[in-house]
Amino acid sequence: MSGIIDVHTHYVPKGWPDLAAEGGPHAPWLRIESESDAMIMMGTSEFRRIQSDCWDAHVRLADMDADGVRTQVVSPTPGFFNYGRTGPQAAKIARVFNDLALDIVAAAPDRLIPFCQVPLQDTDLACAELDRCLANGHRGVEIGNHVGDRDLDSEGVVTFLQHCADRDVPVFVHPWDMDDSPRLSRWMAQWLTAMPAETHLSILALILGGVFDRIDERLRIGFAHGGGSFAFWLGRTENAWHRRNDVVGTSQYPPSHYLGRFYVDSVVFDERALRLLVDTVGAERVLVGSDYPYPLGERPVGEVVRKSAFLDDRTRELVYRGNAERFLGIA
């Protein structure tokens, strides 16, 4: 059966054990409001309203069929990463959510591909949780774009990424824990400006932080939201690398040299943005992503790819599924 492979979707279980011992007064829990509606709570604060498409595989599969999606990568919701807690606390929370994710995808193991989360603030525990999840049926891992003030070029994260390369496991990077301020609290500006900037910065960390110079080329890593603002500002970064090499020349080669080292998803919503993305990172590095089931995602899934007249049939098929098969290791 042909069809789209969607590499960027999220899940939330329909409830989980009490995590107060691990999460303290801001521990996540789910306030069920009906058979199909719930509110994610962080302690006493409302975090996000969700529906049954977060946990009900049958609802998810019906939406996939309606949009022509054959396969989904089902990843954690980043709000549950808990990188600000101790490593053991975050590891306990990760185990709970990772195990519940397998229950969700069990309804259609040929169509739903689970990605796990790990306590990225503790390298040893992160590697151990990844290995446990791979043994249990997870096929990849989603990580946040930073751990506190440490970007993806911090030694612990690089060690974890090399572990993923050694295990031949795909990594999907999703922004989380954006800065907040009165200027960003209007109009969902955190999502409209901070998320793209955070994703852009995480790609720069791998390039200018020298990670791609040091890490195994077997690493398969992809970035959400079209790589954020990276494609638009690659020229600025390239210019800075040459003009201020004393400050910016921290990678062995100019930034454009590393374009073949990572993937980005297609959830940019506009043909002009997708054209820039394809022209910049290459048609072989763009994957369909939707951010399903959240309201800022793309429905129908792959709509911008479907409607973009500049794509020929071969390139559209690459973006629909061929690139994802390579990224996921299922070709």
Side-chain angles (χ1 to χ4, degrees):
M1 178 180 178
S2 61
I4 294 169
I5 299 176
D6 184 353
V7 303
H8 179 183
T9 83
H10 301 286
Y11 76 90
V12 177
K14 191 179 183 181
W16 49 85
D18 184 4
L19 296 172
E22 292 74 29
H26 303 293
W29 59 283
L30 196 66
R31 190 178 74 204
I32 303 294
E33 300 186 342
S34 74
E35 282 298 310
S36 59
D37 293 276
M39 176 66 73
I40 300 174
M41 302 293 294
M42 298 295 181
T44 59
S45 299
E46 295 182 346
F47 175 70
R48 177 177 293 170
R49 186 171 298 281
I50 61 172
Q51 284 75 44
S52 58
D53 46 15
C54 279
W55 64 76
D56 189 327
H58 299 292
V59 174
R60 186 177 287 263
L61 290 165
D63 286 344
M64 290 167 62
D65 290 342
D67 290 0
V69 175
R70 164 60 184 165
T71 308
Q72 272 189 355
V73 173
V74 184
S75 291
T77 292
F80 299 132
F81 285 156
N82 289 283
Y83 295 161
R85 307 194 191 282
T86 69
Q89 287 172 337
K92 173 68 179 295
I93 294 171
R95 284 194 294 271
V96 168
F97 282 101
N98 289 334
D99 291 348
L100 289 172
L102 295 178
D103 294 338
I104 294 172
V105 304
D110 60 326
R111 299 186 65 186
L112 302 176
I113 297 177
F115 271 31
C116 64
Q117 67 184 70
V118 296
L120 197 59
Q121 65 269 54
D122 187 310
T123 305
D124 290 341
L125 290 177
C127 292
E129 179 61 12
L130 176 68
D131 291 346
R132 188 190 76 88
C133 288
L134 293 176
N136 288 343
H138 285 83
R139 305 272 291 279
V141 59
E142 181 188 65
I143 64 172
N145 66 301
H146 68 104
V147 179
D149 291 328
R150 294 187 290 141
D151 283 311
L152 298 188
D153 59 328
S154 68
E155 286 305 315
V157 177
V158 173
T159 298
F160 176 75
L161 292 177
Q162 183 60 60
H163 185 75
C164 293
D166 293 340
R167 296 293 188 271
D168 199 24
V169 173
V171 180
F172 191 68
V173 180
H174 196 288
W176 87 296
D177 193 32
M178 292 85 68
D179 286 337
D180 194 10
S181 73
R183 294 173 62 231
L184 289 172
S185 64
R186 303 188 296 166
W187 327 305
M188 296 190 75
Q190 275 189 311
W191 278 261
L192 300 180
T193 65
M195 268 196 170
E198 287 285 352
T199 307
H200 181 175
L201 182 58
S202 63
I203 297 175
L204 289 186
L206 294 184
I207 295 173
L208 299 180
V211 179
F212 284 138
D213 292 328
R214 294 184 286 141
I215 207 162
D216 198 309
E217 291 192 8
R218 290 178 299 165
L219 177 68
R220 288 176 278 137
I221 189 166
F223 293 85
H225 309 135
S229 48
F230 175 82
F232 193 84
W233 290 115
L234 174 60
R236 183 178 179 84
T237 307
E238 190 90 351
N239 178 71
W241 192 92
H242 288 286
R243 296 295 184 96
R244 286 303 311 271
N245 194 263
D246 57 319
V247 177
V248 184
T250 48
S251 55
Q252 185 175 350
Y253 302 101
S256 60
H257 175 84
Y258 304 94
L259 289 174
R261 294 294 301 273
F262 60 91
Y263 296 84
V264 296
D265 75 16
S266 65
V267 63
V268 293
F269 306 100
D270 187 282
E271 179 175 351
R272 293 162 296 185
L274 183 64
R275 182 191 288 271
L276 174 64
L277 200 59
V278 169
D279 287 347
T280 302
V281 305
E284 296 78 14
R285 291 286 160 173
V286 180
L287 316 163
V288 168
S290 70
D291 215 352
Y292 178 94
Y294 293 132
L296 296 189
E298 183 186 55
R299 293 292 308 274
V301 174
E303 185 76 348
V304 68
V305 176
R306 186 177 297 111
K307 290 184 173 180
S308 291
F310 75 92
L311 295 173
D312 58 30
D313 290 343
R314 173 191 167 275
T315 305
R316 187 173 285 106
E317 184 64 19
L318 277 177
V319 177
Y320 272 166
R321 62 180 300 106
N323 298 335
E325 287 175 341
R326 190 168 65 253
F327 172 66
L328 298 171
I330 59 176

